[in-house]
Amino acid sequence: MTCSILTGGAWGDEGKGKCITYFCKNDNPSIIARAGVGPNAGHSVEFNGEKYGLRLIPSGFVNTDSELLVGAGVLVDPEVLFHEFDYLKKYDVKSRTLIDGRCAIIKPEHRERDKHSDYLSNKIGSTGSGCGPANSDRVLRIADLAKDIPELEEYITDVSLKVNDTIDEGNDVFIEGSQGFALSLYYGTYPFVTSKDTCASTFAADVGVGPTKVDEVISVFKSYITRVGEGPFPTEISQEEAAEKGIEEYGVVTGRRRRVGLFDYDLAKESCRINGTTQIALTCVDKLYDCAGITDYSLLPADAKEFINKIQTATGVPVTIISTGPDLKETIDLRDELL
Ligand code: GTP
Ligand code: IMP
Ligand code: MG
């Protein structure tokens, strides 16, 4: 039995989508539970030559044997949920997804408040998905809950009960977080953060699991750093330099150009400490080093190995997954050797 939580190591967009898909296809958990803020997330999933951009449904959906749950801590926008049911019809997502009755609801009014607030939209650079205003209504205790929305009735369950029962029966549960450590309302670059904590302990709380039930915390880092929206970014490089290195990026939800920077060892160390990280998954190594598609650690170039060792030394955490391309097959999995 393993209960794992996956977290973003930096400012989101670390490639969690690919890593979650890899873990869920490979390890076949009974339950994949979505934690994190809500549909401000944008995960990219590439599978069997197709590419999906997701905001709410768990990114592990490609494993059609798993039940998909959305934990009570997550904000649900019914429009996004129904859109993704339709979008992912091929994977029979609608019949496998249940949401906790205690999820708070994002209404069109929350999206409007988000987009039309000069502070949120321009100063913070929010995603405009309504998460900040909806979480604020939740704190004020005036938000609607999923259990009170008639159109959601058939999808309502007690996620905490299901997850804990599954763990107690000896089966695997995979909890996928969203956003990233440096966007945490508590530990990130406040006020340029999202509307909630984004660390492993909160993801456990989001799905109603106590800390004693969690076995593994996997933090995903990209080999360089990107940030969308405003706020401090100590290792930022210019757009010209990013273009030269071939690491320019655009956001999945907003289409905004991402700011780009070099790997930040100090940030990684703090992120692993506060998340209690037990394993690091490192993505996009192929974008910095000549190793696209390599699946054998011994074949990695020396400079890539040196980079990986430096991350392990700085954080004290083993790098168990090394991603060398978007496809699931383009993955080096060292878990058998390192754990
Ligand atoms: P999260 O927000 O963390 O889920 O990240 P994301 O999945 O949204 O990542 P993003 O939108 O930045 O998309 C990353 C893109 O890079 C997607 O098309 C992924 O399939 C792809 N990708 C993921 N890992 C790797 C990798 O190791 N190498 C390369 N070349 N591409 C990758
Ligand atoms: P909000 O969560 O939409 O309020 O946005 C607040 C800040 O968090 C902005 O800088 C967003 O760009 C950032 N943010 C929120 N979710 C994500 C994400 O999934 N990836 C990257 N940045 C995010
Ligand atoms: Mg993303």
Coordinates of all heavy atoms in Angstrom, one line a residue, residues 213-273:
K213 N -0.8 8.9 7.2 CA -1.1 7.9 6.1 C -0.3 8.1 4.9 O -0.4 7.4 3.9 CB -2.6 8.1 5.7 CG -3.6 7.8 6.8 CD -3.9 6.3 6.8 CE -4.8 5.9 7.9 NZ -6.2 6.1 7.7
V214 N 0.5 9.2 4.8 CA 1.2 9.5 3.6 C 2.6 8.8 3.6 O 3.4 9.0 4.5 CB 1.4 11.0 3.4 CG1 2.2 11.4 2.2 CG2 0.0 11.7 3.4
D215 N 3.0 8.1 2.5 CA 4.2 7.4 2.4 C 5.3 8.2 1.6 O 6.4 8.2 2.0 CB 4.0 6.0 1.8 CG 3.0 5.2 2.5 OD1 3.3 4.8 3.6 OD2 1.9 5.0 1.9
E216 N 4.9 8.8 0.5 CA 5.8 9.4 -0.4 C 5.4 10.8 -0.8 O 4.2 11.0 -1.1 CB 6.0 8.6 -1.7 CG 6.6 7.2 -1.5 CD 8.1 7.2 -1.2 OE1 8.7 8.2 -1.4 OE2 8.5 6.1 -0.7
V217 N 6.3 11.7 -0.8 CA 6.0 13.1 -1.3 C 7.0 13.3 -2.5 O 8.2 13.3 -2.3 CB 6.2 14.2 -0.2 CG1 6.0 15.6 -0.9 CG2 5.2 14.0 0.9
I218 N 6.4 13.4 -3.7 CA 7.3 13.6 -4.9 C 7.2 15.0 -5.3 O 6.1 15.5 -5.5 CB 6.7 12.7 -6.0 CG1 6.6 11.2 -5.6 CG2 7.5 12.8 -7.3 CD1 5.6 10.4 -6.2
S219 N 8.3 15.7 -5.4 CA 8.3 17.1 -5.9 C 8.8 17.1 -7.3 O 9.9 16.6 -7.5 CB 9.1 18.0 -4.9 OG 8.4 18.1 -3.7
V220 N 8.1 17.8 -8.1 CA 8.5 17.9 -9.5 C 9.2 19.2 -9.7 O 8.7 20.3 -9.4 CB 7.3 17.8 -10.5 CG1 7.7 17.9 -11.9 CG2 6.5 16.6 -10.2
F221 N 10.4 19.1 -10.3 CA 11.2 20.3 -10.7 C 11.4 20.2 -12.2 O 11.7 19.2 -12.7 CB 12.5 20.4 -9.9 CG 12.4 20.7 -8.5 CD1 12.3 19.7 -7.6 CD2 12.3 22.0 -8.0 CE1 12.1 20.0 -6.2 CE2 12.2 22.3 -6.7 CZ 12.1 21.3 -5.8
K222 N 11.4 21.4 -12.8 CA 11.9 21.5 -14.2 C 13.3 21.8 -14.2 O 13.8 22.4 -13.2 CB 11.0 22.5 -14.9 CG 11.2 22.6 -16.4 CD 9.9 23.2 -17.1 CE 9.5 24.6 -16.6 NZ 8.3 25.1 -17.3
S223 N 14.1 21.5 -15.2 CA 15.5 21.7 -15.2 C 15.9 23.2 -15.2 O 17.0 23.6 -15.0 CB 16.2 21.0 -16.4 OG 16.0 19.6 -16.2
Y224 N 14.9 24.0 -15.6 CA 15.0 25.5 -15.5 C 13.7 25.9 -14.8 O 12.9 25.1 -14.6 CB 15.2 26.1 -16.9 CG 14.2 25.6 -17.9 CD1 13.1 26.3 -18.2 CD2 14.5 24.5 -18.6 CE1 12.1 25.9 -19.1 CE2 13.5 24.0 -19.5 CZ 12.4 24.7 -19.8 OH 11.5 24.2 -20.6
I225 N 13.6 27.2 -14.6 CA 12.4 27.6 -13.9 C 11.6 28.6 -14.8 O 12.1 29.3 -15.6 CB 12.8 28.3 -12.6 CG1 13.5 27.3 -11.7 CG2 11.5 28.9 -11.9 CD1 13.5 27.6 -10.3
T226 N 10.2 28.4 -14.7 CA 9.4 29.4 -15.4 C 8.4 30.0 -14.4 O 8.1 29.3 -13.3 CB 8.6 28.8 -16.5 OG1 7.9 27.6 -16.1 CG2 9.5 28.4 -17.7
R227 N 7.9 31.2 -14.7 CA 6.9 31.8 -13.8 C 6.0 32.6 -14.7 O 6.5 33.3 -15.6 CB 7.7 32.7 -12.8 CG 6.8 33.6 -12.0 CD 7.4 34.2 -10.8 NE 6.2 34.4 -9.9 CZ 6.2 34.9 -8.7 NH1 7.3 35.2 -8.1 NH2 5.0 35.0 -8.1
V228 N 4.7 32.4 -14.4 CA 3.7 33.3 -15.1 C 3.2 34.3 -14.1 O 3.0 33.9 -12.9 CB 2.5 32.6 -15.8 CG1 2.9 32.1 -17.2 CG2 2.1 31.4 -14.9
G229 N 2.9 35.5 -14.5 CA 2.4 36.5 -13.6 C 3.6 37.2 -12.9 O 4.8 37.0 -13.2
E230 N 3.2 38.1 -12.0 CA 4.2 39.1 -11.5 C 4.9 38.5 -10.3 O 4.6 37.4 -9.8 CB 3.5 40.4 -11.1 CG 2.7 41.0 -12.2 CD 3.6 41.3 -13.4 OE1 4.7 41.8 -13.3 OE2 3.2 40.9 -14.5
G231 N 5.9 39.2 -9.7 CA 6.6 38.8 -8.5 C 8.0 38.5 -8.6 O 8.5 38.3 -9.8
P232 N 8.7 38.4 -7.5 CA 10.2 38.2 -7.5 C 10.6 36.8 -8.2 O 9.8 35.9 -8.1 CB 10.5 38.1 -6.0 CG 9.4 38.5 -5.2 CD 8.2 38.5 -6.1
F233 N 11.7 36.8 -8.8 CA 12.2 35.7 -9.5 C 13.7 35.8 -9.5 O 14.3 36.3 -10.5 CB 11.6 35.7 -10.9 CG 11.8 34.5 -11.7 CD1 11.1 34.3 -13.0 CD2 12.6 33.4 -11.3 CE1 11.3 33.2 -13.8 CE2 12.8 32.3 -12.1 CZ 12.1 32.2 -13.3
P234 N 14.4 35.4 -8.5 CA 15.8 35.6 -8.3 C 16.7 35.1 -9.5 O 17.7 35.8 -9.8 CB 16.2 34.9 -7.0 CG 15.0 34.7 -6.3 CD 13.9 34.6 -7.3
T235 N 16.4 34.0 -10.1 CA 17.3 33.5 -11.1 C 16.8 33.8 -12.6 O 17.2 33.1 -13.5 CB 17.5 31.9 -11.0 OG1 16.2 31.3 -11.1 CG2 18.0 31.6 -9.6
E236 N 15.9 34.8 -12.7 CA 15.3 35.1 -14.0 C 16.4 35.5 -15.0 O 17.4 36.2 -14.7 CB 14.3 36.2 -13.8 CG 13.6 36.5 -15.1 CD 12.4 37.5 -14.9 OE1 12.3 38.1 -13.8 OE2 11.5 37.5 -15.8
I237 N 16.2 35.1 -16.3 CA 17.1 35.5 -17.4 C 16.2 36.2 -18.4 O 15.0 36.2 -18.3 CB 17.8 34.3 -18.0 CG1 16.8 33.3 -18.6 CG2 18.8 33.6 -17.1 CD1 17.4 32.1 -19.4
S238 N 16.9 36.9 -19.3 CA 16.1 37.7 -20.3 C 15.4 36.8 -21.3 O 15.8 35.6 -21.5 CB 17.0 38.7 -21.0 OG 17.9 37.9 -21.9
Q239 N 14.4 37.3 -21.9 CA 13.6 36.5 -22.9 C 14.6 36.2 -24.1 O 14.5 35.1 -24.7 CB 12.4 37.3 -23.5 CG 11.3 37.5 -22.5 CD 10.6 36.2 -22.1 OE1 10.8 35.1 -22.7 NE2 9.8 36.3 -21.1
E240 N 15.5 37.0 -24.4 CA 16.5 36.8 -25.5 C 17.4 35.6 -25.1 O 17.6 34.7 -25.9 CB 17.4 38.0 -25.7 CG 16.7 39.2 -26.3 CD 15.8 39.9 -25.3 OE1 16.1 39.9 -24.1 OE2 14.8 40.5 -25.7
E241 N 17.8 35.6 -23.8 CA 18.7 34.5 -23.4 C 17.9 33.2 -23.4 O 18.4 32.1 -23.8 CB 19.1 34.8 -22.0 CG 20.6 34.4 -21.7 CD 21.0 34.8 -20.3 OE1 20.7 35.9 -19.8 OE2 21.5 33.9 -19.6
A242 N 16.6 33.2 -23.0 CA 15.7 32.1 -22.9 C 15.6 31.5 -24.4 O 15.6 30.3 -24.6 CB 14.4 32.4 -22.3
A243 N 15.4 32.4 -25.3 CA 15.2 32.0 -26.7 C 16.4 31.4 -27.2 O 16.4 30.3 -27.9 CB 14.8 33.2 -27.6
E244 N 17.6 31.9 -26.9 CA 18.9 31.3 -27.3 C 19.0 29.9 -26.8 O 19.5 29.1 -27.5 CB 20.0 32.2 -26.7 CG 20.7 33.1 -27.7 CD 21.6 34.1 -27.0 OE1 22.4 33.7 -26.1 OE2 21.4 35.3 -27.2
K245 N 18.6 29.7 -25.6 CA 18.7 28.4 -25.0 C 17.6 27.4 -25.4 O 17.5 26.3 -25.1 CB 18.7 28.5 -23.4 CG 19.9 29.1 -22.8 CD 19.7 29.2 -21.3 CE 20.8 30.0 -20.6 NZ 22.1 29.3 -20.5
G246 N 16.6 28.0 -26.2 CA 15.5 27.2 -26.7 C 14.5 26.8 -25.5 O 13.9 25.7 -25.6
I247 N 14.4 27.7 -24.5 CA 13.5 27.4 -23.4 C 12.4 28.4 -23.2 O 12.0 28.7 -22.1 CB 14.3 27.1 -22.1 CG1 15.3 28.2 -21.8 CG2 15.0 25.7 -22.2 CD1 16.0 28.0 -20.5
E248 N 11.9 29.0 -24.3 CA 10.8 29.9 -24.2 C 9.5 29.1 -24.0 O 9.4 28.0 -24.5 CB 10.6 30.6 -25.6 CG 11.4 31.9 -25.8 CD 11.2 32.4 -27.2 OE1 11.3 31.5 -28.1 OE2 10.9 33.6 -27.4
E249 N 8.6 29.6 -23.2 CA 7.3 28.9 -23.0 C 6.1 29.8 -22.9 O 6.2 31.0 -22.6 CB 7.4 28.1 -21.6 CG 8.4 27.0 -21.6 CD 8.2 26.1 -20.4 OE1 7.2 26.3 -19.7 OE2 9.1 25.2 -20.2
Y250 N 5.0 29.2 -23.2 CA 3.7 29.9 -23.1 C 2.7 29.1 -22.3 O 2.7 27.8 -22.3 CB 3.1 30.1 -24.5 CG 3.9 31.0 -25.3 CD1 5.0 30.5 -26.1 CD2 3.7 32.4 -25.3 CE1 5.8 31.3 -26.8 CE2 4.5 33.2 -26.1 CZ 5.6 32.7 -26.8 OH 6.4 33.5 -27.5
G251 N 1.8 29.7 -21.5 CA 1.0 29.1 -20.5 C -0.2 28.3 -21.1 O -0.7 28.7 -22.2
V252 N -0.6 27.2 -20.5 CA -1.7 26.3 -21.0 C -3.0 27.0 -20.8 O -3.9 26.9 -21.6 CB -1.7 25.0 -20.2 CG1 -2.9 24.1 -20.5 CG2 -0.4 24.2 -20.5
V253 N -3.3 27.6 -19.6 CA -4.6 28.2 -19.3 C -4.7 29.6 -19.9 O -5.7 29.9 -20.5 CB -4.8 28.3 -17.8 CG1 -6.0 29.1 -17.4 CG2 -4.8 26.9 -17.1
T254 N -3.6 30.4 -19.8 CA -3.7 31.8 -20.1 C -3.1 32.1 -21.5 O -3.3 33.2 -22.0 CB -3.0 32.7 -19.1 OG1 -1.7 32.2 -19.0 CG2 -3.7 32.5 -17.7
G255 N -2.2 31.2 -22.0 CA -1.5 31.5 -23.2 C -0.4 32.6 -23.1 O 0.2 33.0 -24.0
R256 N -0.2 33.0 -21.8 CA 0.8 34.1 -21.6 C 2.2 33.5 -21.7 O 2.5 32.4 -21.4 CB 0.6 34.6 -20.1 CG -0.6 35.5 -19.9 CD -0.6 36.0 -18.5 NE -0.9 35.0 -17.5 CZ -1.0 35.2 -16.2 NH1 -0.9 36.5 -15.8 NH2 -1.2 34.3 -15.4
R257 N 3.1 34.4 -22.2 CA 4.5 34.0 -22.2 C 5.0 33.9 -20.8 O 4.8 34.7 -20.0 CB 5.2 35.2 -23.0 CG 6.7 34.8 -23.3 CD 7.2 35.9 -24.1 NE 8.6 35.6 -24.6 CZ 9.1 36.2 -25.6 NH1 8.5 37.1 -26.3 NH2 10.4 35.9 -25.9
R258 N 5.7 32.8 -20.6 CA 6.3 32.6 -19.2 C 7.6 33.3 -19.1 O 8.4 33.3 -20.0 CB 6.4 31.1 -19.0 CG 5.1 30.4 -18.9 CD 5.2 28.9 -18.7 NE 3.9 28.3 -18.6 CZ 3.7 27.0 -18.9 NH1 4.7 26.2 -19.2 NH2 2.5 26.5 -18.8
R259 N 7.9 33.8 -17.9 CA 9.2 34.3 -17.6 C 10.1 33.1 -17.3 O 9.6 32.1 -16.8 CB 9.1 35.2 -16.3 CG 8.3 36.4 -16.5 CD 7.8 37.0 -15.2 NE 8.8 37.5 -14.4 CZ 8.7 37.8 -13.1 NH1 7.5 37.6 -12.5 NH2 9.7 38.3 -12.4
V260 N 11.3 33.2 -17.7 CA 12.2 32.0 -17.6 C 13.4 32.3 -16.8 O 13.9 33.4 -16.8 CB 12.7 31.6 -19.1 CG1 13.6 30.4 -19.0 CG2 11.5 31.3 -19.9
G261 N 13.9 31.3 -16.0 CA 15.1 31.5 -15.2 C 15.9 30.2 -15.1 O 15.4 29.1 -15.5
L262 N 17.1 30.3 -14.4 CA 17.9 29.1 -14.2 C 17.4 28.4 -13.0 O 16.7 28.9 -12.2 CB 19.3 29.6 -14.0 CG 19.9 30.4 -15.2 CD1 21.4 30.8 -14.9 CD2 19.9 29.7 -16.5
F263 N 17.8 27.1 -12.9 CA 17.4 26.3 -11.8 C 17.9 27.0 -10.5 O 19.0 27.6 -10.4 CB 18.1 24.9 -11.9 CG 17.5 23.9 -10.9 CD1 16.4 23.2 -11.2 CD2 18.1 23.8 -9.6 CE1 15.9 22.3 -10.3 CE2 17.5 22.9 -8.7 CZ 16.4 22.2 -9.0
D264 N 17.1 27.0 -9.5 CA 17.4 27.7 -8.2 C 17.6 26.7 -7.1 O 16.6 26.2 -6.6 CB 16.2 28.7 -7.9 CG 16.5 29.6 -6.7 OD1 17.3 29.2 -5.9 OD2 15.9 30.7 -6.7
Y265 N 18.8 26.5 -6.7 CA 19.1 25.4 -5.8 C 18.6 25.8 -4.4 O 18.2 24.9 -3.6 CB 20.6 25.1 -5.7 CG 21.1 24.6 -7.0 CD1 21.6 25.4 -8.0 CD2 21.1 23.2 -7.3 CE1 22.0 24.9 -9.3 CE2 21.5 22.7 -8.5 CZ 22.0 23.6 -9.5 OH 22.4 23.1 -10.7
D266 N 18.7 27.1 -4.0 CA 18.2 27.5 -2.7 C 16.7 27.3 -2.6 O 16.2 26.8 -1.6 CB 18.5 29.0 -2.5 CG 20.0 29.2 -2.3 OD1 20.7 28.2 -2.0 OD2 20.5 30.3 -2.7
L267 N 16.0 27.7 -3.7 CA 14.5 27.5 -3.7 C 14.2 26.0 -3.6 O 13.3 25.6 -2.8 CB 14.0 28.1 -5.0 CG 12.5 27.8 -5.2 CD1 11.6 28.7 -4.3 CD2 12.1 28.1 -6.7
A268 N 14.9 25.2 -4.3 CA 14.7 23.7 -4.3 C 14.9 23.1 -2.9 O 14.1 22.3 -2.4 CB 15.6 23.0 -5.3
K269 N 15.9 23.6 -2.2 CA 16.2 23.1 -0.9 C 15.0 23.5 0.1 O 14.5 22.6 0.8 CB 17.5 23.8 -0.4 CG 18.0 23.3 0.9 CD 19.3 23.9 1.3 CE 19.7 23.4 2.7 NZ 20.8 24.1 3.2
E270 N 14.6 24.7 0.0 CA 13.5 25.1 0.9 C 12.2 24.4 0.5 O 11.4 24.0 1.4 CB 13.3 26.7 0.8 CG 12.3 27.2 1.8 CD 12.1 28.7 1.6 OE1 12.2 29.2 0.5 OE2 11.7 29.3 2.7
S271 N 11.9 24.3 -0.8 CA 10.7 23.6 -1.2 C 10.7 22.1 -0.7 O 9.7 21.7 -0.2 CB 10.8 23.6 -2.8 OG 9.7 22.9 -3.3
C272 N 11.8 21.4 -0.8 CA 11.9 20.1 -0.3 C 11.7 20.0 1.2 O 11.1 19.1 1.7 CB 13.2 19.4 -0.7 SG 13.3 19.1 -2.5
R273 N 12.3 21.0 1.9 CA 12.1 21.0 3.4 C 10.7 21.1 3.8 O 10.1 20.4 4.6 CB 13.0 22.1 4.0 CG 12.7 22.3 5.4 CD 13.8 23.2 6.1 NE 14.0 24.4 5.5 CZ 13.3 25.5 5.6 NH1 12.2 25.5 6.4 NH2 13.6 26.6 5.0

